[in-house]
Amino acid sequence: SGRWARAMAILREFEEKCATPIGKLRQVADAMTVEMHAGLASEGGSKLKMLISYVDNLPTGNERGLFYALDLGGTNFRVLRVQLGGKDGRVVNQEFAEVSIPPHLMTGGSEELFDYIAAELAKFVKTEGEDFHLSPGRQRELGFTFSFPVRQLSITSGTLIKWTKGFSIEDVVGQDVVLELTKALEKQGLDMRVAALVNDTIGTLAGGRYLNNDVIAAVILGTGTNAAYVECANAIPKWHGLLPKSGEMVINMEWGNFRSSHLPITEYDHALDVESLNPGEQIFEKIISGMYLGDIVRRVLLSMAEEAAFFGDTVPPQLKVPFILRTPDMSAMHHDTSPDLKVVGNKLKDILGIPNTSLKTRKAVVELCNIVATRGARLSAAGILGILKKLGRDVVKEGEKQRTVLAMDGGLYEHYTEFRVCLESTLKELLGEEVSANVSVEHSNDGSGIGAALLAASHSQYL
Ligand code: ADP
Ligand code: MG
């Protein structure tokens, strides 16, 4: 019928605009490399902030003692304690707890948020059992993973540049987040020192390196997306401090804010951006990460419903609700292997209030999920190629058997199998067989929590 043809025309047009042929991916990778250079050259030189982390040494395995970590950066935050036993003992013991952040705290006041976090951490510390040992006379130390763009002043302090991922608490912007946390810890009567302020990419890099010496970069694909990597200290023109002994410095790219004319951006992405809490910012993040993928799918479905009566004569009202279709639901539909696409049918019914969809309709929905996920995964791979190019690891060097390992984490990477498989195969495609043989991607399961604790250990006041 005419309606179906119109709906398919909308879908096809969207597909064309989302296309990521290999040539385009190479342009994106090259643009990423160029922006990396620009961001390292001068403050404000690029959309990529290329933030100096003050981490100039990654874990060696010799770390010892009891350390805590707190991971704030999405819809949940995690608290963790780990007993480190040095080279032989490694991680002797670990425990964690996950707490969801009440949505009103994400857009409320600074004090309420930090008080809530400190109170939850205090509760967790109270449950510390016999398997954990704090050396006598010592203060507990914490690695604070704060996964928003921060201008670091030292390893233990940094001011918030801006919120992302649905957070918006104006009175924290420009403030030292370690100071805010420390004040809240004191109010709780909790005697604990923040020994390292890092973000999740740095934590994942540290956690990855602890397990594998060849880890040189970390990528997060969760609610948001970001990457960090180990740079030569003398390749950072904007760094005017002393060169670290190691000769290295970990850089937090804040790649979620990358943008380039080569990115395939559609009218739906544009509308999502305009209506977001941070219009004009985090454009790469908005086409790749878990916070947004489901909503892109919803927007295309809405257009198909409005312009082509894809779901019948009336437009299902739920389809107009922003973020009602979450990426985990999109992923569940995408992975539906039942012959009648039962999962898709149920999601459409339960989430969007659309009953009795035909198999043909369900298939089109799966196809749409595939288009959106494929674009995100392939662009992520292009971003990674950009990093490898910056480091000269996109080629095989004569006589060198240099291995390159990327530590990956985040709910999107971990749970969205189609996304992960597409990312990994695209990276292989981009690198070619010979280079690929020396490059591997490893899932660093909650590396960021352990990583922050490890960095607290290597920056302990008792060393
Ligand atoms: P955060 O990024 O908030 O620190 P995670 O790394 O756990 O936390 O990632 C959570 C995000 O991962 C969710 O916001 C969601 O977008 C995505 N995600 C979680 N589960 C799935 C899933 N089954 N399929 C696809 N995406 C998922
Ligand atoms: Mg996280």
Side-chain angles (χ1 to χ4, degrees):
S1 70
R3 284 174 170 187
W4 180 260
R6 275 210 306 284
M8 287 308 104
I10 292 173
L11 185 62
R12 291 296 155 244
E13 192 190 339
F14 177 68
E15 182 176 28
E16 274 166 36
K17 290 198 176 132
C18 286
T20 50
I22 210 79
K24 188 177 243 326
L25 294 181
R26 293 200 186 286
Q27 289 174 317
V28 169
D30 288 341
M32 183 69 79
T33 310
V34 166
E35 293 300 321
M36 290 173 77
H37 278 281
L40 291 171
S42 64
E43 216 62 80
S46 164
K47 283 258 162 202
L48 286 187
K49 292 206 166 61
M50 305 299 283
L51 300 169
I52 291 166
S53 68
Y54 289 84
V55 173
D56 52 20
N57 270 301
L58 286 165
T60 57
N62 293 320
E63 295 76 12
R64 277 180 180 279
L66 168 62
F67 294 92
Y68 276 79
L70 190 162
D71 181 342
L72 175 69
T75 44
N76 293 311
F77 76 95
R78 289 158 63 88
V79 287
L80 167 143
R81 64 179 147 252
V82 44
Q83 189 78 44
L84 301 169
K87 257 288 174 296
D88 306 314
R90 308 295 283 190
V91 176
V92 179
N93 240 312
Q94 74 178 95
E95 273 175 355
F96 75 91
E98 192 164 82
V99 189
S100 68
I101 302 169
H104 71 273
L105 291 183
M106 293 165 65
T107 53
S110 161
E111 223 175 307
E112 289 91 324
L113 178 70
F114 283 100
D115 283 349
Y116 179 78
I117 292 166
E120 292 296 328
L121 179 61
K123 268 196 234 163
F124 181 65
V125 172
K126 285 212 180 83
T127 65
E128 184 185 295
E130 308 264 296
D131 328 344
F132 294 88
H133 310 280
L134 186 69
S135 301
R138 285 196 177 188
Q139 192 183 18
R140 286 187 179 75
E141 292 182 293
L142 174 82
F144 181 19
T145 306
F146 182 78
S147 304
F148 301 95
V150 162
R151 174 99 43 229
Q152 299 256 168
L153 307 166
S154 69
I155 185 70
T156 56
S157 60
T159 55
L160 176 62
I161 297 171
K162 62 173 187 180
W163 290 105
T164 57
K165 299 178 281 191
F167 278 70
S168 174
I169 308 172
E170 275 323 301
D171 52 347
V172 191
V173 176
Q175 301 298 309
D176 180 352
V177 294
V178 173
L179 204 63
E180 298 299 308
L181 177 62
T182 304
K183 280 192 287 186
L185 294 176
E186 277 167 12
K187 273 200 251 170
Q188 293 295 327
L190 187 56
D191 183 24
M192 191 180 265
R193 169 183 176 264
V194 178
L197 170 67
V198 295
N199 81 1
D200 50 359
T201 54
I202 312 269
T204 301
L205 183 58
R209 176 65 71 89
Y210 185 69
L211 298 174
N212 185 332
N213 230 357
D214 295 323
V215 169
I216 49 100
V219 175
I220 299 287
L221 291 156
T223 305
T225 183
N226 191 11
Y229 73 104
V230 183
E231 183 57 278
C232 289
N234 60 19
I236 312 171
K238 71 178 177 184
W239 171 252
H240 299 300
L242 288 174
L243 282 188
K245 265 205 217 95
S246 66
E248 295 180 336
M249 177 61 77
V250 174
I251 298 292
N252 164 18
M253 292 177 62
E254 288 297 336
W255 89 356
N257 201 41
F258 173 71
R259 77 184 301 171
S260 155
S261 57
H262 299 298
L263 290 177
I265 305 270
T266 69
E267 69 217 69
Y268 305 99
D269 305 299
H270 182 68
L272 181 152
D273 174 46
V274 167
E275 292 163 30
S276 70
L277 283 174
N278 51 353
E281 297 184 46
Q282 302 293 105
I283 299 299
F284 199 48
E285 178 161 278
K286 284 172 183 162
I287 54 178
I288 285 181
S289 79
M291 175 158 173
Y292 304 101
L293 296 186
D295 205 53
I296 300 170
V297 169
R298 177 193 68 83
R299 284 169 184 276
V300 180
L301 288 178
L302 177 60
S303 161
M304 289 162 74
E306 285 178 336
E307 312 292 323
F310 185 59
F311 295 114
D313 290 331
T314 54
V315 175
Q318 295 296 84
L319 205 45
K320 294 186 181 165
V321 180
F323 295 102
I324 197 169
L325 183 66
R326 297 158 51 252
T327 302
D329 297 312
M330 164 192 177
S331 147
M333 294 197 288
H334 195 170
H335 293 115
D336 189 355
T337 52
S338 64
D340 55 344
L341 298 178
K342 201 181 294 118
V343 178
V344 180
N346 285 337
K347 293 283 179 198
L348 292 175
K349 175 157 63 67
D350 298 343
I351 297 166
L352 300 173
I354 308 167
N356 308 322
T357 40
S358 68
L359 181 58
K360 197 162 83 158
T361 299
R362 294 175 189 184
K363 279 186 175 159
V365 171
V366 173
E367 213 186 311
L368 174 58
C369 294
N370 189 49
I371 294 166
V372 173
T374 300
R375 178 183 65 166
R378 288 176 65 82
L379 290 172
S380 308
I384 293 171
L385 175 62
I387 300 175
L388 297 178
K389 280 184 170 241
K390 174 70 182 71
L391 296 174
R393 288 175 184 251
D394 60 319
V395 287
V396 183
K397 294 214 185 98
E398 198 76 41
E400 245 181 86
K401 262 269 167 276
Q402 148 177 275
R403 287 207 56 78
T404 297
V405 180
L406 303 154
M408 310 277 292
D409 201 12
L412 183 69
Y413 178 79
E414 189 177 349
H415 302 297
Y416 202 148
T417 309
E418 288 280 348
F419 187 102
R420 183 181 62 237
V421 169
C422 176
L423 187 165
E424 288 170 7
S425 66
T426 305
L427 188 60
K428 282 214 171 80
E429 186 184 347
L430 286 166
L431 290 172
E433 218 170 291
E434 202 187 354
V435 178
S436 286
N438 293 318
V439 175
S440 61
V441 170
E442 279 180 10
H443 179 208
S444 167
N445 204 356
D446 191 37
S448 94
I450 293 264
L454 287 163
L455 289 167
S458 54
H459 294 85
S460 165
Q461 62 192 316
Y462 302 108
L463 287 180

